[in-house]
Amino acid sequence: MTTHTIAVVGSGYMGGGIAQVLALSGATVRIADISEEIARKNYDRLIAEAEQFVADGLFPADAVERIRANVSPAASIEEAVTGADFIEEAVPEKIEIKHETLRRISAAASPDAIIGSNTSTILIGSLAEAVTNPERFLGVHFSNPAPFIPGVELIPHETTADAAIATVEEIVAATGKETARVKDATGFVLNRLQYALFHEATQLVEEGVATPEDIDTIVRTTFGFRLPVFGPFAIADMAGLDVYSFCYASLQTRWPERFATPDSLKELVDAGKFGTKSGAGYLDVPADRTPELIAYRNKAYVAIKQLMDELGPAPIN
Ligand SMILES: NC(=O)c1ccc[n+]([C@@H]2O[C@H](COP(=O)([O-])OP(=O)(O)OC[C@H]3O[C@@H](n4cnc5c(N)ncnc54)[C@H](O)[C@@H]3O)[C@@H](O)[C@H]2O)c1
């Protein structure tokens, strides 16, 4: 397997965590920031955090040793990116700062070094304007806290080369995280879904339907409880798309537009594809695997409940 030389530019909260996980995967990582002094300070912070994670049993026992061996603070962005084959930008979410940083990275890096941005919300196509050879540029969106959230959204823009995406997939896979490819569209997938849920939750509070505390309880203990195991399409397929269709009709009695039946749902139901019970839906799970799926689901939910009981409630209230 290739050992990658990686630069993380912007070594704050996200950049520090990203540097930790990349270093633990065996990559050589240089971190850069506004100045050498800040990069050094951030290096000390990420080592101290890693020590705490080891003490808490969250990182392997030899993690600090491995991170020390693989991560170093650089004097400048230029020094960090020279000789790097992958560069992850994690500077603040302001397009001017990102453009300026991407220009400096492009000017100093090897012309074929792959460049990723950890942007949460800015269109990758807009950031690409500041990158020379933009076919080597894409969104590589780690979530917070980067050391522990196992998914990374990959967002190629219109001209990103397939080979660049494949290399990033390999780099992220080496960290033990999972990737999914997403088109360059406002909010990408993660934030568009997260904010859609938050939007509806705030409407419920503002309408006086339930308190924030009760809404959080319902999300945690009912449909949100399924989410570590299944996404919305697996859940819909298992619930039955015909059932979803009836529920939409009911929601439409109050909000005809907001809860209009999705075209894709209507098409599947019209074609007799009701989800797992009919052997076809959004995800084509063969009907003969349904018992296996149900058994897995039940086992997963019991295991998650046991884990939650062991952890106890979050110290929020
Ligand atoms: N914090 C989150 O929950 C989260 C989650 C996912 C993605 N992100 C994204 O990650 C990126 C970084 O966010 P963060 O929370 O780590 O911010 P942060 O403020 O903790 O870190 C940003 C770092 O960039 C440095 N920096 C600022 N200007 C710079 C420059 N010109 N050159 C080099 N370094 C510079 C800062 O000194 C700081 O260390 C943002 O795009 C953000 O949207 C954040």
Side-chain angles (χ1 to χ4, degrees):
M1 215 173 69
T2 327
T3 302
H4 291 279
T5 301
I6 297 175
V8 177
V9 176
S11 52
Y13 186 62
M14 292 303 293
I18 295 167
Q20 289 171 337
V21 295
L22 291 169
L24 287 174
S25 77
T28 300
V29 183
R30 291 192 291 255
I31 60 169
D33 211 282
I34 294 174
S35 65
E36 180 172 11
E37 193 195 348
I38 296 182
R40 286 195 178 281
K41 219 175 81 203
N42 287 342
Y43 172 81
D44 291 342
R45 192 205 65 235
L46 75 84
I47 294 291
E49 270 173 11
E51 283 167 349
Q52 189 61 50
F53 294 154
V54 172
D56 294 341
L58 307 179
F59 268 179
D62 63 349
V64 173
E65 203 178 298
R66 281 155 58 199
I67 293 172
R68 276 190 196 282
N70 289 345
V71 180
S72 56
S76 63
I77 294 178
E78 287 71 18
E79 185 186 292
V81 305
T82 301
D85 51 45
F86 173 58
I87 297 137
E88 173 78 343
E89 167 278 304
V91 297
E93 190 78 349
K94 287 200 173 157
I95 194 157
E96 320 78 71
I97 301 180
K98 291 207 185 273
H99 270 168
E100 169 61 17
T101 305
L102 289 166
R103 266 188 219 104
R104 282 178 66 185
I105 292 171
S106 294
S110 147
D112 58 357
I114 296 167
I115 304 173
S117 171
N118 198 50
T119 182
S120 312
T121 53
I122 304 174
L123 283 175
I124 302 303
S126 316
L127 293 178
E129 290 164 14
V131 179
T132 50
N133 305 335
E135 62 281 359
R136 39 91 171 251
F137 179 64
L138 70 163
V140 182
H141 183 204
F142 287 80
S143 282
N144 170 23
F148 307 121
I149 298 285
V152 179
E153 229 177 359
L154 297 187
I155 311 124
H157 64 99
E158 225 168 275
T159 62
T160 306
D162 284 344
I165 311 171
T167 302
V168 173
E169 282 172 341
E170 178 219 314
I171 290 171
V172 177
T175 69
K177 295 192 189 292
E178 231 179 297
T179 51
R181 293 187 189 191
V182 166
K183 267 202 185 146
D184 190 20
T186 305
F188 313 130
V189 167
L190 189 165
N191 280 314
R192 186 156 156 197
L193 286 176
Q194 185 165 249
Y195 281 83
L197 173 62
F198 188 69
H199 178 77
E200 212 53 40
T202 54
Q203 301 289 297
L204 286 163
V205 172
E206 288 164 22
E207 288 168 24
V209 175
T211 62
E213 289 78 7
D214 284 335
I215 293 173
D216 276 7
T217 299
I218 291 165
V219 173
R220 257 187 326 102
T221 58
T222 63
F223 75 90
F225 188 81
R226 303 179 180 124
L227 295 177
V229 193
F230 300 111
F233 293 107
I235 290 170
D237 276 356
M238 285 194 280
L241 301 184
D242 49 341
V243 176
Y244 261 46
S245 196
F246 300 143
C247 290
Y248 268 108
S250 172
L251 287 162
Q252 282 154 25
T253 59
R254 171 68 176 80
W255 298 281
E257 282 162 23
R258 191 145 108 216
F259 290 104
T261 309
D263 291 344
S264 55
L265 181 72
K266 193 169 174 321
E267 276 166 29
L268 287 166
V269 171
D270 287 349
K273 296 178 175 174
F274 298 151
T276 48
K277 63 185 164 192
S278 67
Y282 281 98
L283 313 173
D284 287 330
V285 179
D288 61 4
R289 289 195 66 194
T290 303
E292 191 189 337
L293 178 60
I294 301 296
Y296 176 89
R297 179 199 68 186
N298 294 345
K299 190 173 151 189
Y301 291 169
V302 169
I304 294 170
K305 178 69 171 71
Q306 277 167 356
L307 178 65
M308 297 312 297
D309 288 346
E310 277 171 34
L311 282 170
I316 282 183
N317 296 314

